[in-house]
Amino acid sequence: MEGPPLTIRYFAGARAAAGRAEEAIPAGRSLDALTAELTQRHGDRLAGVLRVASFLVNGVTCHDRQAPLPAGATIDVLPPFAGG
């Protein structure tokens, strides 16, 4: 049983590349598997953003891209921001 889906929230350039602000993906995968699926769904433009983006899992920076994501988690996709 996979549990509640993951909520993917896109910000700035990630939002433009994905063509949406948010989507739900079935749970039961790692961050690496999730980014591969998102690339397949949305194409090369989003793939380029995902390669340089930071990811927050329930508000915490994700350092282990192979660890299973918790069911029902919110994943924020944060591309590099200009300015300071």
Side-chain angles (χ1 to χ4, degrees), residues 5-6 9-11 18-19 22 25 32 35 37 41 43 47 49 55 57 62 64 68 70 73 76 78 84:
L6 303 171
R9 299 189 308 185
Y10 300 103
F11 293 88
E22 185 175 296
I25 303 283
D32 277 346
T35 58
E37 181 171 335
R41 283 180 177 215
V49 173
F55 299 89
V57 178
C62 181
D64 184 355
D76 294 329
L78 306 171

Side-chain angles (χ1 to χ4, degrees), residues 13-76:
R15 179 181 293 185
R20 65 194 64 219
E22 185 175 296
E23 69 182 303
I25 303 283
R29 66 198 72 222
S30 67
L31 186 57
D32 277 346
L34 175 65
T35 58
E37 181 171 335
L38 295 174
T39 294
Q40 187 174 29
R41 283 180 177 215
H42 300 293
D44 291 339
R45 186 171 174 210
L46 183 59
V49 173
L50 295 175
R51 279 192 289 274
V52 296
S54 298
F55 299 89
L56 301 180
V57 178
N58 292 332
V60 178
T61 302
C62 181
H63 296 288
D64 184 355
R65 297 177 61 98
Q66 296 297 315
L69 295 166
T74 297
I75 314 300
D76 294 329

